[in-house]
Amino acid sequence: EPEVTQTPSHQVTQMGQEVILRCVPISNHLYFYWYRQILGQKVEFLVSFYNNEISEKSEIFDDQFSVERPDGSNFTLKIRSTKLEDSAMYFCVVWRFLADDTQYFGPGTRLTVL
Amino acid sequence: KQEVTQIPAALSVPEGENLVLNCSFTDSAIYNLQWFRQDPGKGLTSLLLIQSSQREQTSGRLNASLDKSSGRSTLYIAASQPGDSATYLCAVRSGGGADGLTFGKGTHLIIQP
């Protein structure tokens, strides 16, 4: 059974539109992360989230991005005004602190910006 | 800034061969190193995690080693099978907790039946 699921699996949007990507952890996790992978490129860290606030963020995670855990369960990534270069696979990742050190990747959301 | 490099970028071998995938990183002050498998268009599946204090980890036909001082890790796959065909990614974590993983570009592996 996967540690985390993501919705939608594929999102197509027009440039300038807002998108929200969702992540649902299966069991109790303390740390949440978002990564992205542009086609043919490396997987890149975006942001980590712990105790309902951002812990670390990369240079990629600018003011166009935001994360929240609105209902204590779902974990979301919002891109306010999408650009063509935001097209990528976005992975939600969870870590069960104190259980093991493995970071578990969700299946990903493929975002296509037209 | 941590940089991770994987060699070779691609590898094609006949079924049954043993093979080694290489990963190097520039900053030896790491927390742990993780090997992943990625199938086309899919997410990442964790294969092995090596803590900075460990030298190797084994799971089935897979063995990963870590030489932190030289900034190297290898993934050894024994008796390769066509089902092993995938991209193998190496990722290092520089600190605990909030720190994200730094990934290499991966080795695209094809096992010929």
Side-chain angles (χ1 to χ4, degrees):
Chain A
E1 186 178 4
E3 296 280 334
V4 58
T5 61
Q6 292 184 242
T7 59
S9 57
H10 191 190
Q11 174 91 46
V12 181
T13 189
Q14 295 291 326
M15 189 170 57
Q17 296 295 305
E18 174 183 287
V19 295
I20 297 176
L21 310 182
R22 290 183 171 80
C23 168
V24 182
I26 301 300
S27 57
N28 192 25
H29 297 86
L30 292 181
Y31 278 94
F32 300 85
Y33 308 78
W34 284 102
Y35 289 78
R36 79 172 184 189
Q37 185 179 32
I38 296 171
L39 187 63
Q41 298 188 24
K42 293 183 180 184
V43 177
E44 300 172 292
F45 167 73
L46 295 179
V47 65
S48 61
F49 188 85
Y50 169 71
N51 201 25
N52 289 320
E53 61 183 26
I54 290 174
S55 297
E56 296 284 341
K57 58 183 180 179
S58 71
E59 297 168 347
I60 303 167
F61 194 87
D62 60 22
D63 292 343
Q64 292 296 315
F65 292 91
S66 63
V67 290
E68 64 177 359
R69 203 174 175 209
D71 56 5
S73 176
N74 293 341
F75 179 50
T76 63
L77 174 69
K78 182 191 293 185
I79 308 175
R80 289 189 182 81
S81 178
T82 51
K83 301 187 277 286
L84 295 176
E85 54 265 38
D86 292 328
S87 295
M89 281 286 282
Y90 288 82
F91 296 107
C92 174
V93 179
V94 297
W95 177 38
R96 280 184 295 160
F97 181 59
L98 298 180
D100 65 60
D101 267 336
T102 302
Q103 295 194 358
Y104 294 95
F105 277 66
T109 292
R110 179 170 297 283
L111 175 65
T112 301
V113 182
L114 303 175
Chain B
K1 181 185 173 186
Q2 180 75 268
E3 297 284 343
V4 179
T5 303
Q6 292 187 246
I7 295 173
L11 184 62
S12 180
V13 300
E15 179 179 4
E17 282 200 8
N18 303 324
L19 51 99
V20 175
L21 308 182
N22 296 291
C23 170
S24 62
F25 45 95
T26 54
D27 185 349
S28 62
I30 64 169
Y31 182 76
N32 59 38
L33 182 146
Q34 203 164 344
W35 281 93
F36 292 88
R37 169 188 172 133
Q38 184 175 31
D39 292 284
K42 303 292 186 182
L44 279 64
T45 300
S46 179
L47 298 173
L48 290 164
L49 181 145
I50 311 177
Q51 300 290 359
S52 62
S53 59
Q54 298 175 324
R55 297 285 293 183
E56 65 177 334
Q57 283 286 333
T58 299
S59 176
R61 294 182 293 109
L62 304 179
N63 176 275
S65 67
L66 174 64
D67 184 344
K68 199 173 76 160
S69 61
S70 67
R72 296 180 188 277
S73 176
T74 60
L75 179 67
Y76 175 82
I77 303 177
S80 57
Q81 302 169 358
D84 294 331
S85 298
T87 297
Y88 290 80
L89 301 173
C90 169
V92 299
R93 191 168 175 187
S94 296
D99 277 31
L101 299 171
T102 302
F103 281 83
K105 284 201 75 173
T107 294
H108 180 56
L109 177 64
I110 297 175
I111 307 298
Q112 306 153 11

